Amino acid sequence: MNPPPPSPPAHSSRSSPILVVLVFVFMVIVFLVRDIPCGTKGGVMINFEKIEVVNRLRKEYVYETLLNYGVDYDNAWIYDKIHHEINQFCSSHTLQQVYIDVFNQIDEKMKDALQGDCTKYAPGIEILSVRVTKPTIPESIRRNYEQMEEERTKVLISIERQKVAEKESETQKIMAINEAEKNVTVSKILMEQKLLEKESCMKLQEMENQMFVAREKTLADADFYRAMTEAEANKSKLSREYLQLKFTEAIANNTKIFFGDKVANMVLDQRLLLAFPFALLHYLHMDFSGIFATLISEPADGIISSGLKVFVVESKAGAMACMLLALAFLGTWPAVMTLLERRGRLPQHTYLDYTITNFLAAIIIALTFGEIGSSTPENPNFIAQLSQDNWPSALFAMGGGVVLSLGNLSTQYAWALVGLSVTEVISASVTVVIGSTLNYFLDDKMNRAEVLFPGVGCFLIAVGLGSAVHSSNAADNKEKLEGAGYSSTLKDAVTNEEVKNLENGNGTTENAKAGTAEFILDIENRRAIKVFGKSTLIGLLITFFAGICFSLFSPAFNLATNDQWHTLKEGVPHLVVYTAFFYFSTSCFAVALVLNITFLYHPMLGAPRSSFKAYLNDWNGRGWAFLAGFLCGFGNGLQFMGGQAAGYAAADAVQALPLVSTFWGILLFGEYRKSSRRTYVLLSEMLFMFIVAVGVLMASSGNRK
């Protein structure tokens, strides 16, 4: 709080102020206050040694001021007041603030405080300025502050040094940039100079090239004219009579001396022998409409040149030829296998023989078609591909061989339970429905869907008709057996001697009229797998399992040859059909070998037990089994060759093999003999649907890029 204004001195008189006014009117007074102790907010005692207060007494208030406060008015309003204000200021601030932080504000604060009270109570006093000296603080604290100031000074020095270093670095950077810009400018000038030189050289080279082209064109035109002239002359000169004359002269000049009793009396034109094998391969690429004309007009040199690259089927006509041959082969080998089974030969023995020649057919195809022509990195032959890193595709091919082997083995037992025709109809139809759909999408829809899938629909209809044929034929057989006094479920057990004969391949055959009850019983007694008393449901289940296996081997082979899933490394060529077929047949051979040797000792469906020694001694019908293996092997190879050219979905047309197998079933085994009229009608409708399906599927063929 501000102290109350002091009372004017009692001894003041009227004359005294007048004299003082004359003295103080124009004077500026510097009032010096010394040794002002005070305590800071933190309790530290400090001392202000000197405070200067510059003031002035205004002339218009001299009388009033002296009248009220006397000549020593400054003691009351400056000296005492400055002590009070200094202590007030210190008590509200810390030593750090008083000594350093707000020290520069003390002058103004003291001036404002003094002037405020003077203006209120002694308006004549004007405080011009206040100068406060640095207070004296305890020595220990002062040393701390001095050390802090030294450290601050060092920091400032470091900052300045850093700024100097930054400036030097910036200067060096600017110099480097300038140097780099200079180098860029120089390089640009040199590059432009080189470009101009190169452009001049290029223009000069273009002129030389044009001169060379013009000169070569002139020479080529001259050569062409000479060749055309010679050709016209030769065309006029080379008549049939002239060629015959030259041929006769060549024979006459080729003088030979013969020794012996008989002299050669035949002249053979060896050009025809040289041209024939290459012509056979060449015509697989061509349309059938031009075969006969080309046979007459094709020169031998042109025929031979077609064998310079690895042979593959490329045209639709060649693909269809392969499919038709495959259809004939694949429809015949099941009939041969069924013939052996009905003669009493064990299916294990038959299938082991079949497996050997089936694998041998793949080797023959690989070493003949796969080795025709020279091998190139883009189109390698069979031997070259065996050493390449194409194992992903090889595994796909081998997987296809595994499922095909399982399917073939299953059909061998299904033939005995439900008959050759029904087995082939159902398995082939399942194969087409599933396999053709998968191949259609794997081949990027290269086959025409509007033609392909109606053909698949025809196969579905054939499935229904095939089931109806089987049901009707089974009813006919039952009626025949019951009419002859037999039961359709009887089991005529064979004697031990007959079992031994079957194991050794020495089963006997008896003649009975086809289509009669005696014929049916005779087949049952002679066959290796007994059918009477077994549920046809088992046969149908085995047939459908075989159809599923057959439906997967063709898509697996498709993946092996065309790599739609991009499993091969970059730069590795796709498997050629012949190499893929070799891997395919290798796995098929291995699986069939293991399973059939197992079935020798652990037979299925009541077949007699055998041994490997008995198999080796069983030569009864072995030639037929070998033939079946060759037919199946070459049939599969031809199917794949046609599928690679026209699409594997269209190649599934060979699954119409019931057309062929039904023919053999009727011709060889007397199936459907003396059956009902309903069975014949259903059989005719089934075969008709297969003929339609084959035609439609082949019509959907495309061209693989």
Side-chain angles (χ1 to χ4, degrees):
M1 295 180 59
N2 293 328
S7 302
H11 60 274
S12 64
S13 63
R14 310 280 287 177
S15 59
S16 175
I18 296 173
L19 295 175
V20 173
V21 169
L22 294 176
V23 176
F24 288 100
V25 164
F26 302 103
M27 291 184 64
V28 175
I29 301 173
V30 179
F31 196 85
L32 187 63
V33 182
R34 295 181 178 275
D35 298 328
I36 303 176
C38 66
T40 63
K41 184 178 181 180
V44 179
M45 292 300 298
I46 61 176
N47 182 50
F48 287 90
E49 294 181 355
K50 181 177 67 173
I51 298 177
E52 295 179 354
V53 181
V54 181
N55 63 90
R56 181 176 63 184
L57 186 60
R58 296 180 182 177
K59 61 181 179 179
E60 61 269 22
Y61 292 101
V62 171
Y63 176 76
E64 182 180 352
T65 301
L66 294 179
L67 179 63
N68 293 329
Y69 305 110
V71 177
D72 296 326
Y73 66 89
D74 49 2
N75 287 332
W77 293 106
I78 296 176
Y79 185 82
D80 294 336
K81 186 68 174 176
I82 198 70
H83 279 76
H84 173 74
E85 293 297 334
I86 286 295
N87 278 276
Q88 285 286 97
F89 181 81
C90 290
S91 63
S92 61
H93 293 80
T94 63
L95 178 61
Q96 174 70 21
Q97 292 174 331
V98 173
Y99 194 71
I100 295 176
D101 295 342
V102 296
F103 178 75
N104 59 342
Q105 302 175 9
I106 296 178
D107 294 348
E108 293 298 324
K109 289 183 178 294
M110 293 299 105
K111 176 184 174 183
D112 295 340
L114 294 176
Q115 187 63 57
D117 288 342
C118 290
T119 302
K120 184 174 181 181
Y121 300 107
I125 300 174
E126 181 181 3
I127 306 301
L128 299 179
S129 65
V130 176
R131 293 190 294 273
V132 181
T133 60
K134 203 75 169 177
T136 302
I137 62 176
E139 184 65 22
S140 60
I141 297 175
R142 185 185 62 79
R143 285 197 300 271
N144 289 339
Y145 277 111
E146 288 179 352
Q147 291 176 0
M148 289 174 60
E149 192 64 28
E150 289 178 1
E151 294 298 326
R152 185 179 293 107
T153 303
K154 291 179 181 179
V155 170
L156 293 175
I157 292 172
S158 299
I159 292 173
E160 292 299 324
R161 287 177 179 174
Q162 183 178 359
K163 290 181 179 179
V164 171
E166 289 177 353
K167 287 293 182 182
E168 291 178 352
S169 176
E170 186 176 355
T171 301
Q172 293 177 358
K173 179 180 178 181
I174 293 172
M175 293 175 63
I177 291 173
N178 292 336
E179 183 68 20
E181 289 178 350
K182 183 189 72 174
N183 293 335
V184 168
T185 304
V186 173
S187 299
K188 184 177 180 181
I189 295 173
L190 294 176
M191 182 60 68
E192 290 177 352
Q193 181 181 356
K194 291 181 179 179
L195 287 175
L196 291 175
E197 292 177 356
K198 291 295 182 182
E199 287 178 357
S200 300
C201 294
M202 184 176 67
K203 291 180 179 179
L204 181 61
Q205 187 65 40
E206 287 179 355
M207 294 175 63
E208 293 178 354
N209 292 340
Q210 291 175 358
M211 294 170 60
F212 177 77
V213 169
R215 183 171 59 254
E216 292 297 320
K217 185 177 180 181
T218 302
L219 294 175
D221 290 340
D223 292 339
F224 176 76
Y225 178 76
R226 182 173 59 254
M228 291 299 294
T229 304
E230 290 177 355
E232 290 294 333
N234 290 334
K235 185 177 180 181
S236 302
K237 182 178 180 181
L238 297 178
S239 62
R240 181 183 300 272
E241 292 77 9
Y242 181 78
L243 293 176
Q244 186 65 33
L245 174 63
K246 288 296 182 183
F247 179 73
T248 305
E249 290 177 353
I251 294 297
N253 292 331
N254 188 14
T255 305
K256 289 183 173 63
I257 301 174
F258 295 92
F259 298 92
D261 297 334
K262 299 180 66 175
V263 181
N265 56 4
M266 179 178 178
V267 178
L268 179 65
D269 190 350
Q270 297 181 0
R271 293 174 298 174
L272 298 178
L273 293 177
L274 180 63
F276 177 75
F278 297 100
L280 180 61
L281 299 178
H282 180 71
Y283 294 142
L284 287 176
H285 293 271
M286 301 178 55
D287 198 353
F288 288 114
S289 61
I291 288 180
F292 297 101
T294 310
L295 281 172
I296 299 174
S297 61
E298 185 74 27
D301 294 340
I303 295 172
I304 295 171
S305 65
S306 65
L308 295 179
K309 63 179 182 179
V310 175
F311 170 76
V312 290
V313 178
E314 296 176 348
S315 67
K316 286 185 180 180
M320 289 182 181
C322 290
M323 293 178 197
L324 291 174
L325 286 174
L327 177 61
F329 290 169
L330 295 177
T332 301
W333 78 268
V336 177
M337 301 285 274
T338 303
L339 173 66
L340 294 175
E341 188 273 331
R342 291 193 176 187
R343 286 183 175 181
R345 193 168 196 257
L346 290 180
Q348 303 96 307
H349 295 183
T350 302
Y351 206 76
L352 281 171
D353 293 334
Y354 153 88
T355 301
I356 295 172
T357 52
N358 183 64
F359 182 52
L360 184 60
I363 297 176
I364 293 173
I365 290 176
L367 294 178
T368 53
F369 290 103
E371 287 296 311
I372 294 175
S374 59
S375 177
T376 62
E378 298 81 10
N379 196 13
N381 59 19
F382 166 67
I383 298 297
Q385 283 205 314
L386 292 179
S387 60
Q388 293 178 348
D389 188 13
N390 48 29
W391 279 109
S393 294
L395 290 176
F396 277 122
M398 296 173 75
V402 170
V403 293
L404 176 65
S405 182
L406 294 176
N408 285 340
L409 191 63
S410 301
T411 55
Q412 188 166 354
Y413 292 94
W415 292 331
L417 294 175
V418 295
L420 176 63
S421 300
V422 175
T423 300
E424 297 302 326
V425 167
I426 295 177
S427 62
S429 300
V430 173
T431 302
V432 169
V433 171
I434 299 177
S436 297
T437 303
L438 293 177
N439 282 320
Y440 172 73
F441 290 102
L442 286 176
D443 281 335
D444 197 19
K445 304 177 182 179
M446 66 176 288
N447 299 99
R448 298 187 309 181
E450 66 276 10
V451 180
L452 174 68
F453 289 107
V456 174
C458 292
F459 271 93
L460 287 175
I461 297 173
V463 170
L465 293 173
S467 299
V469 169
H470 171 69
S471 177
S472 179
N473 191 49
D476 293 342
N477 289 338
K478 181 178 180 181
E479 183 179 352
K480 293 174 185 177
L481 290 171
E482 291 176 351
Y486 300 101
S487 173
S488 60
T489 60
L490 71 88
K491 300 180 182 179
D492 291 336
V494 294
T495 63
N496 292 332
E497 184 65 26
E498 289 173 331
V499 171
K500 184 177 180 181
N501 289 335
L502 287 175
E503 291 179 0
N504 295 322
N506 297 322
T508 60
T509 60
E510 299 179 5
N511 293 324
K513 192 173 182 180
T516 63
E518 290 76 10
F519 178 77
I520 298 173
L521 292 174
D522 181 57
I523 290 176
E524 175 68 13
N525 288 328
R526 288 188 290 111
R527 73 191 320 163
I529 301 175
K530 303 304 177 185
V531 177
F532 285 173
K534 291 187 173 63
S535 173
T536 56
L537 179 61
I538 297 176
L540 291 174
L541 291 176
I542 295 175
T543 302
F544 276 104
F545 173 75
I548 293 174
C549 292
F550 289 148
S551 67
L552 296 179
F553 81 85
S554 180
F557 196 91
N558 193 353
L559 288 170
T561 54
N562 297 299
D563 192 32
Q564 290 91 339
W565 291 352
H566 307 291
T567 56
L568 291 177
K569 296 180 181 178
E570 185 177 357
V572 178
H574 294 177
L575 284 184
V576 181
V577 174
Y578 317 113
T579 309
F581 186 47
F582 172 76
Y583 287 124
F584 175 91
S585 300
T586 300
S587 62
C588 186
F589 172 76
V591 172
L593 195 66
V594 172
L595 291 179
N596 280 279
I597 291 177
T598 303
F599 290 158
L600 286 175
Y601 299 95
H602 305 283
M604 296 176 59
L605 297 176
R609 188 175 181 274
S610 183
S611 64
F612 193 71
K613 181 179 180 181
Y615 159 70
L616 294 177
N617 294 328
D618 182 12
W619 286 91
N620 184 22
R622 176 159 287 170
W624 289 106
F626 284 158
L627 175 62
F630 276 122
L631 289 173
C632 184
F634 285 115
N636 286 332
L638 290 168
Q639 176 187 355
F640 295 144
M641 291 165 65
Q644 186 65 17
Y648 286 94
D652 284 336
V654 304
Q655 298 303 326
L657 49 92
L659 280 172
V660 182
S661 61
T662 301
F663 168 77
W664 291 118
I666 296 172
L667 182 65
L668 296 179
F669 312 131
E671 290 187 356
Y672 308 112
R673 298 274 180 91
K674 297 184 179 181
S675 296
S676 63
R677 186 172 183 273
R678 180 175 181 271
T679 301
Y680 289 142
V681 171
L682 291 173
L683 180 63
S684 300
E685 292 175 349
M686 179 192 73
L687 296 177
F688 174 75
M689 290 307 301
F690 269 112
I691 294 173
V692 173
V694 170
V696 173
L697 283 180
M698 286 192 175
S700 71
S701 299
N703 282 321
R704 189 178 302 278
K705 296 180 181 179

